[in-house]
Amino acid sequence: MEPIYLLLLNFFAVFLLVNENILIERISKLKLGVALFNLLVSFLVVFTYSLVIESSIYNMIYRVFVVLNILFFAYGLFTTLKASGLKANYYHLFIKSIKELKNNIYFVIDENERFVDISDSFLEDIKLTKDKVIGRKFFDIINKSLDFLKMNDKEINNNYLEQHYIRYIATINSQKAVEIEFTYKTVDDKKEIIHVVEKPIFINNKFKGRIVIGEKISSLDSTKSKHKYHNLLNEYNDLQIRFISTIELTSEGVFYLNEETNELWGTDRLKEILGLDMNVANIKDLYLNIHPGDLENYDKQMRIKKSKGEYRATYRYKSKNSYRWILEEGKLVDTTDGKLTIGIIRELDSGRVTKKVTFPDELELKLAIKEYIKEKRPFGYLRLNLDQIKDMNVKYGREATSHIVDEFVKKLKRNYTRKTSKVYELSIHEYAIIIDDLIDFSVVTKSLLSGSDLFNLNIKMGEMDMSMEPSIGIVEYPNDTGSLDELIKACESAVNMAKKDYYKHKFCFYKDIRDVLN
């Protein structure tokens, strides 16, 4: 055999060896050493072949060397094909092994917290068929079907578990699997205990979901295979890529931004909102489409992200030759490949807004007041009217106005939905607050009189500074009125006075105008 062919043969042998090491996930030092030695000798023979053929001894050694190299290549080809064939059947072996295990539990969740796959035994607990689960949000299903009681001996509820996985998605940065024991009750009040191994799924260093595999340990017989699941999962770690291919990117406006390369990857919904041709873009190119007047505030939020690790920005983004309002929120996390921003982008389109915060209605308000009056319990009653909406729609546009109204309602819920106070929705832009602790009521009234922005909201959207200042009517029971109808009418009169341009404040105490009205 000519030396050049021998050299090529050894190049292929090294290539096969590298592939085999990748497939078996370990380095065979002996075979690698032999392959590199053969390659080096073959390379030297190319330049000294004339000397080899002139010597009968060298020529005989060379022939033996060629035969050994051919056998080594054949052996490498055989072992590589064997490893490749075994790897190709891992997925089927994996699924078959799980199905053969008694009382098994498994499900696959994508990065958007939607079911991708689920075992029949878990479907039995949630009392749903598979077609009604796949593609649905994990907690949309769980909250309707199961009550979680414990997580690794810690007492929890469904709300705690949901917050746990919100933090999990935001902070996960390794592929380490963890063992968890859950206790929950089904809809028919049956208590179940499951022991699972939860493994995050990463591809290209990006979180793509999680796979949960385990068993029900309510029965003593099932505990025998507890460790078998763990070993099985570790043995087939590479199967995460196969599961990734089935995960659907269905959430709206999710993105991952590599802070070092400025490369952004987003879901199909984000691509639709920003008018992109692909799911991958450079953040510098997107920056050029932000309204010039909003760049200063956007840059400020980026500086906040670097210092505090999270940010929230609103700006106008040019897409399809027109600007639209965008809300962007994100969090900076450290990963093995450097800093990564995980965030969402939402289009502030007033025509598509779905109500996120709801309150009891006017009927429930009247029932609550009747109960207070019946029990002769004193309370404070505030009526808030967002009478600026019409003017703000003209000045800022419906999208921006809808956003500040949404933020105002969130502020009401955050500050006044508590043990001593409750918020009610009277109409689309009118709300009522009952405060049954007179100390808290006194704090509120004194804060208003001192000029506090207690109920006002100031936010910045792009270059615009927006302010929401409701008109407020205030009545105290029983000092101001005695019956339900009188109280409702009194508060309406007070809020109508607060709307007047000539009135001294944007709030009005009924006791201050009672004598004038009567």
Side-chain angles (χ1 to χ4, degrees):
M1 179 185 288
E2 290 291 328
I4 187 64
Y5 299 129
L6 182 61
L7 181 63
L8 291 174
L9 183 72
N10 279 293
F11 267 120
F12 283 121
V14 171
F15 175 77
L16 289 173
L17 180 60
V18 170
N19 275 276
E20 181 190 351
N21 288 337
I22 292 173
L23 288 170
I24 65 176
E25 298 180 351
R26 69 172 184 270
I27 298 176
S28 178
K29 295 182 180 179
L30 177 60
K31 287 197 285 186
L32 183 60
V34 172
L36 292 175
F37 173 79
N38 290 344
L39 184 63
L40 177 62
V41 173
S42 302
F43 181 79
L44 294 175
V45 170
V46 170
F47 299 99
T48 60
Y49 185 62
S50 58
L51 297 176
V52 171
I53 60 176
E54 290 176 2
S55 170
S56 58
I57 296 176
Y58 287 161
N59 192 30
M60 183 183 66
I61 294 173
Y62 174 74
R63 292 176 183 276
V64 173
F65 181 75
V66 169
V67 173
L68 292 175
N69 272 254
I70 293 173
L71 292 174
F72 183 81
F73 175 81
Y75 172 73
L77 181 62
F78 169 76
T79 56
T80 301
L81 291 175
K82 181 181 178 182
S84 178
L86 179 61
K87 213 70 171 181
N89 290 316
Y90 270 4
Y91 179 76
H92 301 291
L93 291 171
F94 179 76
I95 297 299
K96 184 179 179 181
S97 298
I98 291 177
K99 289 183 176 180
E100 288 178 352
L101 292 170
K102 187 179 180 181
N103 294 323
N104 69 82
I105 288 282
Y106 74 89
F107 52 90
V108 182
I109 307 295
D110 67 13
E111 77 269 41
N112 303 315
E113 285 296 289
R114 296 181 187 274
F115 280 99
V116 176
D117 198 4
I118 186 171
S119 64
D120 292 338
S121 56
F122 200 40
L123 286 171
E124 291 175 3
D125 287 345
I126 62 180
K127 307 299 181 185
L128 291 173
T129 57
K130 193 170 185 177
D131 61 316
K132 292 184 179 180
V133 172
I134 301 302
R136 294 281 303 280
K137 287 278 190 178
F138 177 75
F139 280 101
D140 287 348
I141 299 296
I142 294 302
N143 287 335
K144 294 178 181 178
S145 307
L146 304 175
D147 287 327
F148 277 84
L149 306 175
K150 286 186 178 181
M151 178 179 178
N152 291 338
D153 294 327
K154 179 177 181 178
E155 292 188 356
I156 64 167
N157 54 30
N158 286 23
N159 183 58
Y160 176 90
L161 189 64
E162 188 168 359
Q163 294 300 317
H164 167 77
Y165 280 111
I166 290 174
R167 293 191 297 270
Y168 176 92
I169 293 171
T171 58
I172 187 68
N173 56 17
S174 73
Q175 300 189 41
K176 184 179 179 181
V178 294
E179 291 188 48
I180 307 175
E181 189 171 286
F182 289 112
T183 303
Y184 59 79
K185 282 200 303 184
T186 62
V187 291
D188 51 9
D189 209 33
K190 180 182 178 182
K191 184 181 286 189
E192 293 284 358
I193 302 173
I194 60 172
H195 188 95
V196 298
V197 176
E198 187 175 74
K199 178 82 168 71
I201 301 173
F202 281 80
I203 186 167
N204 294 330
N205 293 312
K206 292 182 179 179
F207 177 72
K208 292 294 185 178
R210 53 193 169 94
I211 178 172
V212 179
I213 303 175
E215 64 176 339
K216 291 182 181 180
I217 59 174
S218 308
S219 165
L220 293 176
D221 293 337
S222 64
T223 59
K224 296 179 180 179
S225 57
K226 183 182 294 185
H227 298 291
K228 189 175 182 180
Y229 281 105
H230 193 188
N231 295 333
L232 187 64
L233 182 68
N234 290 336
E235 185 178 354
Y236 299 113
N237 271 341
D238 64 300
L239 285 175
Q240 60 186 6
I241 297 176
R242 297 180 186 270
F243 281 110
I244 286 297
S245 63
T246 65
I247 293 177
E248 300 176 1
L249 305 174
T250 56
S251 71
E252 294 190 359
V254 179
F255 70 87
Y256 303 91
L257 171 64
N258 188 312
E259 292 291 334
E260 295 180 1
T261 65
N262 290 319
E263 184 180 77
L264 177 144
W265 178 89
T267 60
D268 288 341
R269 176 60 180 144
L270 181 134
K271 184 175 72 171
E272 178 187 343
I273 293 173
L274 300 184
L276 304 177
D277 296 326
M278 300 184 298
N279 294 90
V280 178
N282 191 291
I283 192 63
K284 292 181 178 179
D285 295 333
L286 302 181
Y287 183 84
L288 298 176
N289 292 323
I290 297 177
H291 191 284
D294 300 338
L295 288 175
E296 182 179 351
N297 182 58
Y298 186 81
D299 291 337
K300 178 182 177 181
Q301 292 300 318
M302 293 303 102
R303 291 193 294 271
I304 291 175
K305 179 178 73 171
K306 290 182 180 179
S307 61
K308 296 185 177 181
E310 54 188 34
Y311 71 101
R312 191 172 192 263
T314 51
Y315 53 86
R316 286 162 290 184
Y317 184 86
K318 191 174 185 180
S319 175
K320 298 178 181 178
N321 298 320
S322 64
Y323 283 103
R324 59 181 69 180
W325 278 105
I326 297 294
L327 170 64
E328 179 181 333
E329 297 179 89
K331 185 171 184 178
L332 192 64
V333 297
D334 287 316
T335 68
T336 54
D337 290 334
K339 292 187 179 296
L340 183 74
T341 296
I342 302 173
I344 62 166
I345 281 181
R346 179 161 62 92
E347 185 179 4
L348 299 179
D349 185 345
S350 60
R352 296 184 184 179
V353 171
T354 55
K355 201 167 188 180
K356 295 181 176 59
V357 179
T358 58
F359 299 113
D361 60 16
E362 189 170 9
L363 177 61
E364 293 187 59
L365 169 67
K366 290 180 178 179
L367 291 174
I369 292 175
K370 283 182 179 180
E371 191 67 24
Y372 281 121
I373 293 174
K374 181 180 178 181
E375 297 176 1
K376 296 182 179 180
R377 292 171 56 191
F379 63 90
Y381 174 42
L382 291 79
R383 187 173 182 132
L384 289 72
N385 189 287
L386 308 183
D387 50 324
Q388 300 170 276
I389 299 299
K390 186 175 180 180
D391 293 336
M392 293 180 72
N393 280 334
V394 174
K395 184 175 181 180
Y396 302 117
R398 291 186 179 276
E399 287 76 16
T401 303
S402 295
H403 178 60
I404 192 172
V405 170
D406 187 43
E407 293 300 308
F408 177 82
V409 171
K410 288 178 183 177
K411 180 179 179 180
L412 281 185
K413 183 177 180 65
R414 186 169 58 248
N415 294 342
Y416 296 100
T417 300
R418 57 180 67 174
K419 187 176 181 180
T420 60
S421 60
K422 194 169 184 179
V423 182
Y424 299 84
E425 185 172 9
L426 307 182
S427 65
I428 188 171
H429 292 140
E430 195 162 23
Y431 301 89
I433 302 175
I434 294 290
I435 303 176
D436 60 16
D437 186 321
L438 292 186
I439 296 177
D440 287 351
F441 180 66
S442 177
V443 171
V444 170
T445 57
K446 288 178 179 178
S447 296
L448 288 171
L449 290 169
S450 67
S452 170
D453 291 337
L454 193 63
F455 291 97
N456 299 343
L457 178 65
N458 301 300
I459 66 172
K460 191 173 185 65
M461 288 190 66
E463 64 178 341
M464 299 188 307
D465 293 309
M466 301 178 65
S467 177
M468 174 71 73
E469 187 176 4
S471 298
I472 308 171
I474 306 167
V475 178
E476 182 180 351
Y477 173 85
N479 293 343
D480 295 338
T481 60
S483 68
L484 170 64
D485 292 337
E486 289 175 353
L487 188 141
I488 297 294
K489 185 177 179 181
C491 209
E492 286 179 353
S493 299
V495 77
N496 287 333
M497 182 61 73
K499 292 179 184 179
K500 305 294 185 183
D501 293 336
Y502 58 78
Y503 195 70
K504 56 186 177 181
H505 302 298
K506 286 291 288 183
F507 58 89
C508 175
F509 292 90
Y510 176 69
K511 64 183 180 181
D512 294 340
I513 62 171
R514 177 172 49 196
D515 295 338
V516 177
L517 294 175
N518 295 333

